[in-house]
Amino acid sequence: MYPYMEEYDEDDLKETRMRMKDGRKAKLYSAAKPNIVRKHFEWMAEYGISGVFHMRFMEGIHITKNREWKTSVLRNVKRAAAMTGRLFAVSYNIAGQSLNDGVLDALMEDWKRLVDEEKITQHGRYIRHRKDGVSLPVLRRGIGYFLWEEHQVDGEI
């Protein structure tokens, strides 16, 4: 299945070596482009979707260039949320990695960096629980929900 591309700015698309049925080169987009993320948030607003869990993949996050790219996408999410009145939160994905102290330490180090340097929990559109900023990242993929009971803060998340 090929995504509908007509609403994207031509400058934000990249030609690939793949071909469409009619022979044209297929074009794809990247969330590294602010206009692409903004368009997705505009669609969410148009269709009544309140917000998004931004998936932050842990794979390769220890490599500075990878982490900076992933953080630039998160910055696009922050800007688009502010522009469109949508909400966002961070959701980590550790799929493909062993569940051990190393991956959990790396996750917490990254989360602290996002809180301290990127100030994500202070952003006006960051998802909140009972007027408080989310104090732990949402762990959705690769760990399983069984960890919630072990890692609750003040009995609630």
Side-chain angles (χ1 to χ4, degrees), residues 3-152:
Y4 181 72
M5 305 296 274
E6 301 304 314
E7 291 188 51
Y8 295 115
D9 187 325
E10 203 54 41
D11 293 337
D12 289 325
L13 301 177
K14 175 104 171 134
E15 278 190 354
T16 69
R17 290 184 282 173
M18 296 182 288
R19 297 274 179 186
M20 304 296 286
K21 274 186 174 181
D22 64 6
R24 291 179 297 133
K25 287 187 175 182
K27 296 180 181 180
L28 298 175
Y29 62 82
S30 168
K33 301 275 190 171
N35 289 338
I36 297 295
V37 176
R38 181 184 42 77
K39 177 55 73 180
H40 290 177
F41 274 73
E42 288 171 355
W43 286 335
M44 288 191 307
E46 182 179 343
Y47 292 101
I49 299 170
S50 301
V52 65
F53 280 95
H54 169 71
M55 186 65 69
R56 191 160 173 93
F57 293 88
M58 289 300 295
E59 186 67 33
I61 206 150
H62 63 285
I63 301 168
T64 302
K65 187 175 181 178
N66 289 349
R67 185 178 59 252
E68 288 173 358
W69 182 87
K70 293 172 187 197
T71 302
S72 74
V73 172
L74 179 57
R75 289 182 192 127
N76 291 342
V77 167
K78 287 169 41 176
R79 279 190 295 274
M83 291 172 65
T84 62
R86 304 297 91 194
L87 300 169
F88 75 97
V90 171
S91 177
Y92 281 92
N93 184 322
I94 65 164
Q97 299 194 30
S98 298
L99 180 56
N100 58 39
D101 288 343
V103 73
L104 294 176
D105 289 345
L107 187 149
M108 291 310 293
E109 181 181 323
D110 186 66
W111 175 247
K112 287 176 185 176
R113 185 180 305 108
L114 295 181
V115 170
D116 296 342
E117 297 173 19
E118 297 296 322
K119 312 277 189 228
I120 63 166
T121 57
Q122 295 176 28
H123 192 281
R125 303 309 303 169
Y126 195 78
I127 294 175
R128 302 191 179 288
H129 177 69
R130 297 187 181 159
K131 298 183 183 176
D132 295 324
V134 176
S135 59
L136 285 176
V138 177
L139 307 174
R140 292 174 38 107
R141 305 253 190 241
I143 291 179
Y145 294 101
F146 67 90
L147 284 179
W148 279 120
E149 291 181 21
E150 297 175 22
H151 291 86
Q152 287 186 352

